């Protein structure tokens, strides 16, 4: 069975090194192999593998440049640039819910000139903020995350982030940078509650599923109520990340019609088309109207 659009998206970006490569490309305009190596401390073989995958997946465009000899730069494609709401939503969630040794850089909205936060809105009606409780979700009969492990799952890596103010923390990467973790959380937003439901729909190995449910409970993303696993307030707050990921996936990947996920905004009774707005001036954000203050104390 062909995976859904969200399943294909998770194969493309559900990996911590991929997310960090994208983050540095957005924040620091990193384009060269040696610069990513220096920024991330990633091994040459891992970095080379991720760059190949990102080129094949249409997220990076290689371009030659000369520096003594011809080398390759990697530029963000339109498909990758369209991920900016996802990366900003990740920043917002981690800033609110994760204790860090270093504060994240401030987000400056150039429209009002102030540093603040973002909130999710619905483009269908213009209302904001929108939370998970303001939505319902329907999934087509064959919506599945099957093949999320194909062609392979990357080994989870724990990075030393004690001196890196930009890196996502290990607890965050357990949600964002591991594909099985991400699909388990996505399934929870689709109202799956019991181990048997997760196992049947996700086709996850029981040992993997048990590990992810246990870790999500330890991280206060899930709480257990009898035989059910339910989202905590912290887990519910991840809805902003999830909704923009679904929106991006279904615009860029051609999943079969019977695998579509529809998030409905209960206030306007229409499909949620997510956008981000500034919490201070309440105006919509655009990629060209934001910057991160990387030099703030």
């Amino acid at each position: 069975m062909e995976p859904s659009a969200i399943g294909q998206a998770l194969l493309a970006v559900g990996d911590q090194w991929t997310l960090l490569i994208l983050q540095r490309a957005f924040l620091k305009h990193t384009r060269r192999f040696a610069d990513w190596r220096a920024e991330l401390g990633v091994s040459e073989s891992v970095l080379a593998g991720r760059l190949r995958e990102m080129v094949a997946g249409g997220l990076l465009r290689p371009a030659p440049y000369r520096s003594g000899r011809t080398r390759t730069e990697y530029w963000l494609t339109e498909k990758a640039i369209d991920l900016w709401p996802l990366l900003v939503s990740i920043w917002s969630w981690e800033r609110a819910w994760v204790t860090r040794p270093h504060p994240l850089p401030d987000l400056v909205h150039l429209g009002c000139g102030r540093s603040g936060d973002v909130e999710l809105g619905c483009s269908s009606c213009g209302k904001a903020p929108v939370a998970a409780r303001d939505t319902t979700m329907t999934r087509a009969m064959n919506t599945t995350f099957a093949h999320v492990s194909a062609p392979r799952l990357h080994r989870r890596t724990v990075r030393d982030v004690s001196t890196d103010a930009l890196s996502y923390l290990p607890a965050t990467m357990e949600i964002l940078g591991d594909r099985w973790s991400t699909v388990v959380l996505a399934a929870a937003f689709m109202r799956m509650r019991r181990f048997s439901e997760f196992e049947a729909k996700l086709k996850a190995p029981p040992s993997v599923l048990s590990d992810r449910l246990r870790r999500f409970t330890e991280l206060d993303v899930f709480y257990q109520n009898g035989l059910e696993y339910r989202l905590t307030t912290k887990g519910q707050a991840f809805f902003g990340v999830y909704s923009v990921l679904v929106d991006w996936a279904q615009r860029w990947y051609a999943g079969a019609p019977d695998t579509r996920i529809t998030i409905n905004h209960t206030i306007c009774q229409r499909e949620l088309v997510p956008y981000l707005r500034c919490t201070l001036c309440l105006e919509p954000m655009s990629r060209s109207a934001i910057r991160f203050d990387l030099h703030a104390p």
Side-chain angles (χ1 to χ4, degrees):
M1 181 184 296
E2 180 185 1
S4 61
I6 186 68
Q8 295 177 69
L10 290 173
L11 284 172
V13 301
D15 168 75
Q16 68 164 308
W17 290 120
T18 300
L19 288 169
L20 288 168
I21 289 168
L22 288 169
Q23 183 209 52
R24 292 314 203 270
F26 273 100
L27 294 185
K28 293 192 168 184
H29 307 291
T30 306
R31 300 188 183 103
R32 298 180 179 180
F33 188 97
D35 294 335
W36 271 305
R37 277 272 291 139
E39 277 283 325
L40 301 176
V42 58
S43 72
E44 290 190 6
S45 60
V46 169
L47 178 57
R50 295 305 192 278
L51 292 176
R52 281 195 301 270
E53 291 176 4
M54 294 172 75
V55 170
L59 297 174
L60 294 176
R61 175 178 58 84
Y65 76 96
R66 293 194 65 84
S67 177
R69 61 186 178 89
T70 301
R71 299 175 184 268
T72 302
E73 289 184 328
Y74 297 88
W75 291 72
L76 293 169
T77 63
E78 182 182 355
K79 180 179 181 180
I81 291 171
D82 199 34
L83 277 166
W84 75 266
L86 176 68
L87 297 179
V88 171
S89 297
I90 292 170
W91 167 87
S92 178
W93 182 84
E94 182 164 291
R95 178 169 166 160
W97 292 100
V98 179
T99 301
R100 300 177 54 89
H102 305 282
L104 285 164
D106 288 339
L107 176 69
V108 179
H109 181 211
L110 302 180
C112 64
R114 291 182 287 177
S115 299
D117 204 346
V118 298
E119 59 190 10
L120 182 72
C122 173
S123 291
S124 294
C125 64
K127 297 291 186 181
V130 175
R133 64 179 177 274
D134 303 319
T135 65
T136 59
M137 199 171 310
T138 57
R139 59 186 187 273
M141 180 177 62
N142 289 325
T143 298
T144 180
F145 299 105
H147 309 315
V148 72
S149 59
R152 61 178 169 77
L153 277 173
H154 296 303
R155 181 180 299 172
R156 286 187 289 173
T157 306
V158 178
R159 300 183 65 238
D160 179 9
V161 298
S162 59
T163 60
D164 187 352
L166 290 179
S167 280
Y168 306 118
L169 293 192
T172 306
M173 294 312 303
E174 288 198 52
I175 303 172
L176 304 173
D178 173 78
R179 292 168 186 148
W180 280 123
S181 295
T182 309
V183 298
V184 167
L185 190 64
F189 281 118
M190 295 168 71
R191 307 298 193 265
M192 295 183 201
R193 299 284 184 261
R194 294 178 177 244
F195 187 99
S196 57
E197 291 180 290
F198 287 111
E199 184 180 22
K201 199 64 181 179
L202 304 184
K203 311 299 183 187
S207 60
V208 171
L209 181 56
S210 294
D211 174 71
R212 300 310 189 269
L213 293 174
R214 176 184 58 80
R215 283 298 294 146
F216 275 9
T217 302
E218 293 172 352
L219 293 169
D220 193 33
V221 173
F222 285 175
Y223 70 93
Q224 195 166 359
N225 181 17
L227 296 177
E228 295 186 338
Y229 293 88
R230 292 180 172 268
L231 289 160
T232 62
T233 303
K234 179 180 178 179
Q236 292 277 355
F238 199 77
F239 176 75
V241 178
Y242 175 67
S243 64
V244 297
L245 177 61
V246 170
D247 179 63
W248 179 80
Q250 295 186 154
R251 284 187 289 106
W252 286 100
Y253 292 95
D258 61 351
T259 66
R260 181 175 175 80
I261 296 171
T262 303
I263 304 175
N264 297 298
H265 186 206
T266 54
I267 292 176
C268 66
Q269 297 296 309
R270 286 182 282 178
E271 184 172 355
L272 176 70
V273 180
Y275 78 96
L276 300 181
R277 78 173 187 181
C278 174
T279 56
L280 297 177
C281 69
L282 306 183
E283 290 297 316
M285 297 276 206
S286 66
R287 184 181 64 86
S288 61
I290 62 171
R291 68 173 173 83
F292 285 94
D293 187 355
L294 302 180
H295 305 294

